[in-house]
């Protein structure tokens, strides 16, 4: 495979290589999240590198590893500068236009979206609501119709409730697969990368407010204490 790729890039013009990489980027790196785009780009193209040029082979691999770590909440201070340096080195020092073009695109991503990378690393936040590590699914009490379709669609059984009740999602067991979002016709299931609004702590009748559910929960606790 390496020999095949090596011969391919040696026989390909600079314009053809640029078009190939641009097409891969446009087709596979469509995510609105720049960190996810860098991860997808580097992960796809590292398998296309011939491997002969160390700076290209290792550079793309390191870009993939660093971007993956950031999306999983493992980003560290200094990662952005490392990504920028690797990209810069690749764009200048790669042995062929393949590595140089990948380096240029990666450098453009990190330069134009540096603030978003910083938010992923420092604030553990994805404004695009793409990186699962940083998002929380919740059900809007105002929009939930109590149809129970989301609970049926949840393979992890993380959604509690039944017909006529405002459903709630157990964040601890939620796999963030998104099946519930696709099932909910009322658009009641939302995502947040910051804090979620005040929500019922238990399933309550549709039309109840969060304060009603809180009071109901407190009353239930008091009744249990009296019975004890």
């Amino acid at each position: 495979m390496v020999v095949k790729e090596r011969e391919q890039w040696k026989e390909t013009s600079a314009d053809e290589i640029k078009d190939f990489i641009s097409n891969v980027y446009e087709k596979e790196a469509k995510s609105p999240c720049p960190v996810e785009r860098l991860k997808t780009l580097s992960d796809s193209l590292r398998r296309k590198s011939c491997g002969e040029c160390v700076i290209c082979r290792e550079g793309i691999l390191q870009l993939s590893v660093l971007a993956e770590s950031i999306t999983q909440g493992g980003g560290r201070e200094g990662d952005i500068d490392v990504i920028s340096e690797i990209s810069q080195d690749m764009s200048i020092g790669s042995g062929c236009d393949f590595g140089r073009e990948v380096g240029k695109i990666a450098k453009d991503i990190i330069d134009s979206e540096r603030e978003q990378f910083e938010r992923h690393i420092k604030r553990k936040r994805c404004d695009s609501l793409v990186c699962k590590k940083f998002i929380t699914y919740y059900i809007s009490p105002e929009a939930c119709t109590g149809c129970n379709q989301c609970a049926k669609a949840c393979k992890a059984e993380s959604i509690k409730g039944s017909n006529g009740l405002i459903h709630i999602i157990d964040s601890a067991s939620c796999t963030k697969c998104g099946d519930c979002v696709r099932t909910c016709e009322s658009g009641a299931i939302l995502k947040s990368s910051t804090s979620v609004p005040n929500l019922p702590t238990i399933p309550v009748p549709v039309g109840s407010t969060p304060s009603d559910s809180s009071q109901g929960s407190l009353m239930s606790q008091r009744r249990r204490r009296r019975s004890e």
Side-chain angles (χ1 to χ4, degrees):
M1 182 65 178
V2 171
V3 174
K4 180 181 177 181
E5 299 293 353
R6 185 175 301 166
E7 292 301 320
Q8 175 186 345
W9 300 129
K10 284 183 178 180
E11 297 172 0
T12 305
S13 68
D15 288 339
E16 288 174 325
I17 291 175
K18 183 176 181 179
D19 289 341
F20 170 79
I21 293 174
S22 296
N23 287 334
V24 171
Y25 184 51
E26 292 173 3
K27 290 180 181 179
E28 300 190 25
K30 295 181 178 180
S31 173
C33 173
V35 185
E36 179 69 23
R37 286 204 305 275
L38 178 61
K39 185 188 81 170
T40 303
L41 174 72
S42 55
D43 192 50
S44 298
L45 291 178
R46 70 185 177 88
R47 296 179 176 85
K48 296 293 184 180
S49 172
C50 72
E52 183 175 6
C53 176
V54 175
I55 194 170
C56 173
R57 181 185 70 237
E58 294 300 319
I60 298 178
L61 175 60
Q62 288 305 309
L63 290 177
S64 177
V65 170
L66 287 167
E68 171 71 21
S69 177
I70 293 173
T71 62
Q72 294 301 316
R76 298 174 297 180
E77 189 171 350
D79 282 355
I80 297 176
D81 291 334
V82 173
I83 292 173
S84 182
E85 290 174 8
I86 292 174
S87 304
Q88 181 73 16
D89 290 345
M90 287 177 60
S91 65
I92 296 174
S94 292
C96 75
D97 288 290
F98 183 89
R100 288 194 287 269
E101 194 60 32
V102 175
K104 289 177 183 177
I105 294 178
K107 191 71 167 64
D108 286 342
I109 294 174
I110 197 70
D111 286 348
S112 61
E113 300 284 0
R114 188 181 185 92
E115 182 179 350
Q116 289 301 319
F117 277 78
E118 290 177 346
R119 290 188 180 186
H120 278 71
I121 294 172
K122 296 179 180 179
R123 301 176 63 181
K124 307 303 179 186
R125 170 177 170 177
C126 176
D127 289 346
S128 301
L129 300 179
V130 171
C131 300
K132 291 183 179 181
K133 186 69 177 180
F134 307 132
I135 61 176
T136 300
Y137 283 78
Y138 69 95
I139 299 176
S140 169
E142 294 78 15
C144 180
T145 61
C147 68
N148 202 42
Q149 293 305 308
C150 60
K152 294 179 180 178
C154 182
K155 298 181 180 64
E157 299 183 349
S158 299
I159 300 179
K160 309 304 179 184
S162 57
N163 289 327
L165 297 179
I166 296 174
H167 289 49
I168 58 175
I169 298 177
D170 177 15
S171 297
S173 61
C174 175
T175 61
K176 305 173 185 178
C177 65
D179 286 347
C180 57
V181 177
R182 291 182 284 273
T183 301
C184 183
E185 295 182 357
S186 63
I189 302 178
L190 308 174
K191 295 187 289 184
S192 174
S193 187
T194 54
S195 59
V196 299
N198 187 23
L199 301 171
T201 56
I202 58 173
V204 294
V206 170
S208 302
T209 64
S211 59
D212 292 337
S213 65
S214 297
Q215 290 176 359
S217 179
L218 289 173
M219 290 295 292
S220 298
Q221 293 176 14
R222 289 169 183 166
R223 292 192 190 100
R224 285 196 296 270
R225 288 171 183 167
R226 288 172 183 171
S227 63
E228 292 173 356

